[in-house]
Amino acid sequence: MATVATSGAERRVLAAVAAGGAVGAAARYGVGLLWPAAPGAFPWGTFWINVSGCALIGVLMVLIGEGGRSARPLVRPFLGVGVLGGFTTFSTYAVDFARLLDAGEAGTALAYAGLTVAGALGAVWASAVITRRAVGDGPGRGPGQGQGVGRG
C-alpha cells in the first residue's frame, strides 16, 4: 500500500519536485517540437536532451553537494529531481530505440543506444570534473586551498 506524505516538509518537497518536473518536461517538449526526428533517423533531439541534462546534473551535484557547500533544502528536489529529472528522459530514449528497430534501422538503434549511454555518463563525469576545477576542488588542491564558491 502506498503511503501519503503527511508532514509540511514532505509536502513542500513534493511540490518542489512537481514544479521542477513541469518546468523540465515543458523544456523537453519544446526541444522535441523544435528538433523532431524523422522516422528511422537518429533522434538527435532526445540524444542532446539526455546528454545536456546529465551535464547539468554533474554541475549541480558538485555545486550543492561537495566541498562543504550546501544549498537550501528545496534546491536539490526542485532542480535535480524536478527540472533535470523532467528534462532528461529514459522513456523517450527507450521508445526511440524501439521505433528505430521497428523501422528496420538496427544499426542506428544500436548506435543511438550506445552513444546515449556513453554521452550521458561522459557528460556527467566531465561536467563534474570541470565544475570542481572551476570552484577550486580539482586535483592537486588540498582542503582549504580552493578559491571556490561557499568557502569561508
Side-chain angles (χ1 to χ4, degrees):
M1 178 175 217
T3 59
V4 177
T6 57
S7 74
E10 290 173 327
R11 284 191 291 266
R12 284 189 292 278
V13 169
L14 286 173
V17 169
V23 171
R28 174 167 40 92
Y29 181 72
V31 171
L33 290 178
L34 294 172
W35 201 352
F42 193 95
W44 286 107
T46 305
F47 173 81
W48 285 114
I49 284 168
N50 284 327
V51 170
S52 65
C54 285
L56 293 171
I57 288 169
V59 170
L60 180 67
M61 291 303 107
V62 170
L63 292 179
I64 68 171
E66 294 183 6
R69 287 177 296 277
S70 62
R72 299 186 66 85
L74 296 180
V75 169
R76 184 184 298 237
F78 177 75
L79 291 176
V81 180
V83 173
L84 295 174
F87 184 64
T88 56
T89 173
F90 184 77
S91 58
T92 302
Y93 165 70
V95 169
D96 288 344
F97 180 78
R99 284 183 181 157
L100 287 168
L101 288 178
D102 289 344
E105 298 292 338
T108 302
L110 291 173
Y112 176 58
L115 287 173
T116 297
V117 171
L121 293 175
V124 75
W125 173 80
S127 67
V129 167
I130 291 168
T131 304
R132 284 185 194 113
R133 290 189 181 174
V135 297
D137 295 341
R141 295 185 189 253
Q145 295 175 330
Q147 302 297 316
V149 174
R151 297 191 181 243

